[in-house]
Amino acid sequence: MGYRLNRRAAFGLGTAVAAGSVLGSAPASAQDVEEASPARPDRARARVKRVYDDKAAEAGGTWNAHISVADGVAVDQGSDEVVEAYSVNKVAVAVTVLDKIDRGLLTLTEQVEVPADIVIKDGDGIIALDGAYPSVFTVGHILALFLTVSDDTCVRLVGLVCPPAEINETLKAKGFPKTQVIPVANPKRYFLGKTTARETHDLLQSLVKGTLLSQASTDYLLGLLRSQVAFTDGIRRVMSSADRARVATKAGWLNDGRNEAGVMFDNAGKPVLTYALFARGLPEHAADFGGTHPFVGARSEMGPKFLRAVDKISGDTSARTLRAQAYQPSNGG
């Protein structure tokens, strides 16, 4: 998808507005409010699709996406094509670690040694900034860094407690055969691998419906992804802290790919919109890993519009209720 003609230009908005004034149609502001926050799920899906189509087209590149609203599909674009997942697959990997905890084979409090030579010094996260290794982390500490600041060294640390062969077998057993990490010569190390937009979407849906992990592990994982410190440069960028707390999200980036997947919750804490967005291309922007990349900018515009589109509809009543964590900045003391 590489065209850049926006909908307003395509439909001659200026002419339409003038004609509306003559014919006495409803004020544009009232129409925009109704379109932005529909009262029915089918109209909310249509709204989400319009927003996605517009912003993806404006950004250009190649997109693979699957978005559902209230258990109905809003967007399905190349959702079965296997794509590079990058750090979005950290959610799937975390599921396998938490599954191991659910089976009594591991605990969040178990300690893992962090030698200096395991630290990735030029990637994302904070471990490389500490300058105080060797050290010892708990599994809980590793997962928190893995899913919030997307710490790259934690990929290696996770491999020490849940090797790649075990990760892949667990994901296959749970019904996600295309969501796989890529093992390397060291049996405890791996690249984050591949997935499809549909499988990532379905994994998130299984998570919020409570069929993937125990209640404790489900709440733990979603609490990390929904925290204020989790990724805020895409879907959640142009949101208040209260709105950010309604979104559990994980992004991934490398080479020319910029991805993000997550869940939006209604005000009662029920999941109402699930998205899996994978975009690649635009080689001229491949070195830009910040908020100015067109793909990231497109997601930052989609995010608040998606959230407003589901404001008036209810989420899945059969799914787990996850209310926003209390948030109050601290000044120490």
Side-chain angles (χ1 to χ4, degrees):
M1 179 184 291
Y3 61 88
R4 294 177 180 272
L5 183 65
N6 65 41
R7 294 173 65 90
R8 291 177 179 268
F11 290 101
L13 182 65
T15 302
V17 170
S21 299
V22 172
L23 297 175
S25 59
S29 59
Q31 292 173 349
D32 288 345
V33 168
E34 177 62 23
E35 182 184 31
S37 298
R40 298 198 325 244
D42 59 334
R43 293 178 65 180
R45 290 181 202 112
R47 171 63 175 164
V48 166
K49 186 177 189 307
R50 285 196 300 273
V51 170
Y52 169 82
D53 286 346
D54 283 352
K55 299 308 175 185
E58 289 173 8
T62 300
W63 290 69
N64 299 81
H66 198 79
I67 306 173
S68 64
V69 174
D71 273 349
V73 176
V75 173
D76 186 352
Q77 181 175 355
S79 64
D80 292 316
E81 181 179 355
V82 176
V83 296
E84 293 286 352
Y86 303 132
S87 287
V88 166
N89 255 8
K90 287 177 180 175
V91 178
V93 172
V95 164
T96 68
V97 176
L98 290 165
D99 176 77
K100 196 167 183 177
I101 290 173
D102 288 345
R103 289 183 286 119
L105 303 176
L106 191 64
T107 66
L108 285 175
T109 57
E110 186 164 327
Q111 294 186 333
V112 180
E113 292 187 2
V114 186
D117 62 3
I118 207 171
V119 177
I120 297 176
K121 296 182 173 60
D122 54 358
D124 291 295
I126 66 170
I127 292 179
L129 304 177
D130 290 357
Y133 295 93
S135 185
V136 176
F137 285 3
T138 64
V139 171
H141 191 181
I142 292 166
L143 289 178
L145 294 177
F146 195 54
L147 295 174
T148 58
V149 296
S150 202
D151 199 294
D152 289 336
T153 297
C154 289
V155 176
R156 294 177 174 179
L157 296 177
V158 165
L160 297 179
V161 298
C162 192
E166 186 176 353
I167 291 170
N168 285 341
E169 285 306 311
T170 300
L171 289 171
K172 286 178 184 176
K174 288 184 175 292
F176 307 104
K178 297 178 182 177
T179 303
Q180 300 280 282
V181 299
I182 299 175
V184 296
N186 184 327
K188 294 189 176 181
R189 291 193 182 179
Y190 57 94
F191 294 113
L192 284 164
K194 300 178 185 292
T195 187
T196 69
R198 186 186 303 277
E199 278 203 0
T200 293
H201 168 278
D202 291 352
L203 183 145
L204 290 167
Q205 282 270 292
S206 297
L207 181 67
V208 297
K209 290 178 184 295
T211 61
L212 200 58
L213 296 169
S214 69
Q215 179 176 324
S217 290
T218 297
D219 290 352
Y220 177 79
L221 195 159
L222 288 172
L224 293 174
L225 297 177
R226 201 173 165 182
S227 67
Q228 294 290 326
V229 75
F231 187 73
T232 57
D233 212 12
I235 288 288
R236 304 203 304 175
R237 187 200 299 175
V238 191
M239 289 185 183
S240 67
S241 55
D243 281 350
R244 285 178 175 177
R246 289 177 55 191
V247 183
T249 201
K250 184 71 190 78
W253 51 91
L254 191 67
N255 300 326
D256 66 346
R258 304 292 184 272
N259 309 328
E260 189 167 0
V263 180
M264 293 183 174
F265 295 81
D266 67 16
N267 287 308
K270 295 291 189 179
V272 66
L273 184 153
T274 304
Y275 58 90
L277 306 170
F278 297 85
R280 63 191 184 278
L282 306 187
E284 67 274 23
H285 296 281
D288 179 5
F289 296 101
T292 54
H293 192 288
F295 294 152
V296 181
R299 299 199 318 263
S300 75
E301 294 187 66
M302 291 178 192
K305 293 180 187 297
F306 286 176
L307 198 62
R308 296 289 78 81
V310 297
D311 265 345
K312 293 182 180 178
I313 62 174
S314 297
D316 183 354
T317 56
S318 66
R320 294 269 300 113
T321 298
L322 184 71
R323 298 194 180 279
Q325 295 174 333
Y327 172 64
Q328 176 60 55
S330 172
N331 199 32

